[in-house]
PDB file of all heavy atoms in Angstrom:
ATOM      1  N   GLY A 644      84.471  13.878  68.037  1.00  0.00           N
ATOM      2  CA  GLY A 644      84.090  12.881  69.044  1.00  0.00           C
ATOM      3  C   GLY A 644      85.115  11.764  69.198  1.00  0.00           C
ATOM      4  O   GLY A 644      85.123  11.058  70.209  1.00  0.00           O
ATOM      5  N   GLU A 645      85.968  11.589  68.199  1.00  0.00           N
ATOM      6  CA  GLU A 645      87.042  10.598  68.321  1.00  0.00           C
ATOM      7  C   GLU A 645      88.203  11.146  69.158  1.00  0.00           C
ATOM      8  O   GLU A 645      89.038  10.407  69.651  1.00  0.00           O
ATOM      9  CB  GLU A 645      87.545  10.183  66.929  1.00  0.00           C
ATOM     10  CG  GLU A 645      86.541   9.296  66.196  1.00  0.00           C
ATOM     11  CD  GLU A 645      86.740   9.271  64.676  1.00  0.00           C
ATOM     12  OE1 GLU A 645      87.791   9.762  64.199  1.00  0.00           O
ATOM     13  OE2 GLU A 645      85.828   8.776  63.991  1.00  0.00           O
ATOM     14  N   LEU A 646      88.256  12.470  69.288  1.00  0.00           N
ATOM     15  CA  LEU A 646      89.363  13.107  70.027  1.00  0.00           C
ATOM     16  C   LEU A 646      88.976  13.445  71.466  1.00  0.00           C
ATOM     17  O   LEU A 646      89.782  13.276  72.384  1.00  0.00           O
ATOM     18  CB  LEU A 646      89.779  14.392  69.296  1.00  0.00           C
ATOM     19  CG  LEU A 646      90.348  14.180  67.886  1.00  0.00           C
ATOM     20  CD1 LEU A 646      90.423  15.511  67.142  1.00  0.00           C
ATOM     21  CD2 LEU A 646      91.725  13.545  67.956  1.00  0.00           C
ATOM     22  N   VAL A 647      87.767  13.962  71.654  1.00  0.00           N
ATOM     23  CA  VAL A 647      87.312  14.323  73.000  1.00  0.00           C
ATOM     24  C   VAL A 647      85.841  13.943  73.151  1.00  0.00           C
ATOM     25  O   VAL A 647      85.150  13.730  72.156  1.00  0.00           O
ATOM     26  CB  VAL A 647      87.468  15.840  73.300  1.00  0.00           C
ATOM     27  CG1 VAL A 647      88.912  16.286  73.217  1.00  0.00           C
ATOM     28  CG2 VAL A 647      86.602  16.668  72.364  1.00  0.00           C
ATOM     29  N   SER A 648      85.388  13.877  74.409  1.00  0.00           N
ATOM     30  CA  SER A 648      83.994  13.539  74.701  1.00  0.00           C
ATOM     31  C   SER A 648      83.364  14.638  75.545  1.00  0.00           C
ATOM     32  O   SER A 648      84.075  15.395  76.216  1.00  0.00           O
ATOM     33  CB  SER A 648      83.918  12.242  75.501  1.00  0.00           C
ATOM     34  OG  SER A 648      84.601  11.212  74.826  1.00  0.00           O
ATOM     35  N   VAL A 649      82.047  14.683  75.513  1.00  0.00           N
ATOM     36  CA  VAL A 649      81.324  15.550  76.447  1.00  0.00           C
ATOM     37  C   VAL A 649      81.759  15.173  77.860  1.00  0.00           C
ATOM     38  O   VAL A 649      81.950  13.994  78.159  1.00  0.00           O
ATOM     39  CB  VAL A 649      79.789  15.381  76.260  1.00  0.00           C
ATOM     40  CG1 VAL A 649      79.012  16.010  77.409  1.00  0.00           C
ATOM     41  CG2 VAL A 649      79.370  16.007  74.927  1.00  0.00           C
ATOM     42  N   ALA A 650      81.983  16.186  78.713  1.00  0.00           N
ATOM     43  CA  ALA A 650      82.439  16.039  80.114  1.00  0.00           C
ATOM     44  C   ALA A 650      83.962  15.982  80.249  1.00  0.00           C
ATOM     45  O   ALA A 650      84.477  16.004  81.360  1.00  0.00           O
ATOM     46  CB  ALA A 650      81.803  14.864  80.838  1.00  0.00           C
ATOM     47  N   ASP A 651      84.678  15.910  79.119  1.00  0.00           N
ATOM     48  CA  ASP A 651      86.139  16.064  79.215  1.00  0.00           C
ATOM     49  C   ASP A 651      86.453  17.510  79.581  1.00  0.00           C
ATOM     50  O   ASP A 651      85.677  18.416  79.280  1.00  0.00           O
ATOM     51  CB  ASP A 651      86.813  15.748  77.870  1.00  0.00           C
ATOM     52  CG  ASP A 651      86.919  14.242  77.611  1.00  0.00           C
ATOM     53  OD1 ASP A 651      86.564  13.458  78.512  1.00  0.00           O
ATOM     54  OD2 ASP A 651      87.356  13.872  76.505  1.00  0.00           O
ATOM     55  N   VAL A 652      87.607  17.727  80.221  1.00  0.00           N
ATOM     56  CA  VAL A 652      87.972  19.093  80.616  1.00  0.00           C
ATOM     57  C   VAL A 652      89.311  19.491  80.005  1.00  0.00           C
ATOM     58  O   VAL A 652      90.162  18.642  79.722  1.00  0.00           O
ATOM     59  CB  VAL A 652      88.023  19.260  82.154  1.00  0.00           C
ATOM     60  CG1 VAL A 652      86.672  18.945  82.776  1.00  0.00           C
ATOM     61  CG2 VAL A 652      89.116  18.422  82.773  1.00  0.00           C
ATOM     62  N   CYS A 653      89.469  20.789  79.794  1.00  0.00           N
ATOM     63  CA  CYS A 653      90.728  21.310  79.284  1.00  0.00           C
ATOM     64  C   CYS A 653      91.153  22.512  80.116  1.00  0.00           C
ATOM     65  O   CYS A 653      90.359  23.072  80.874  1.00  0.00           O
ATOM     66  CB  CYS A 653      90.610  21.695  77.803  1.00  0.00           C
ATOM     67  SG  CYS A 653      89.413  22.989  77.456  1.00  0.00           S
ATOM     68  N   ALA A 654      92.425  22.867  79.983  1.00  0.00           N
ATOM     69  CA  ALA A 654      92.987  24.018  80.697  1.00  0.00           C
ATOM     70  C   ALA A 654      93.889  24.769  79.729  1.00  0.00           C
ATOM     71  O   ALA A 654      94.242  24.245  78.665  1.00  0.00           O
ATOM     72  CB  ALA A 654      93.795  23.534  81.897  1.00  0.00           C
ATOM     73  N   TYR A 655      94.260  25.988  80.097  1.00  0.00           N
ATOM     74  CA  TYR A 655      95.227  26.736  79.294  1.00  0.00           C
ATOM     75  C   TYR A 655      96.453  25.853  79.021  1.00  0.00           C
ATOM     76  O   TYR A 655      96.954  25.193  79.939  1.00  0.00           O
ATOM     77  CB  TYR A 655      95.739  27.953  80.065  1.00  0.00           C
ATOM     78  CG  TYR A 655      94.745  29.051  80.342  1.00  0.00           C
ATOM     79  CD1 TYR A 655      94.559  29.509  81.641  1.00  0.00           C
ATOM     80  CD2 TYR A 655      94.032  29.670  79.322  1.00  0.00           C
ATOM     81  CE1 TYR A 655      93.688  30.556  81.925  1.00  0.00           C
ATOM     82  CE2 TYR A 655      93.156  30.717  79.604  1.00  0.00           C
ATOM     83  CZ  TYR A 655      92.990  31.154  80.893  1.00  0.00           C
ATOM     84  OH  TYR A 655      92.133  32.187  81.175  1.00  0.00           O
TER      85      TYR A 655
END
Side-chain angles (χ1 to χ4, degrees):
E645 287 159 12
L646 296 167
V647 299
S648 305
V649 167
D651 282 355
V652 300
C653 62
Y655 293 127

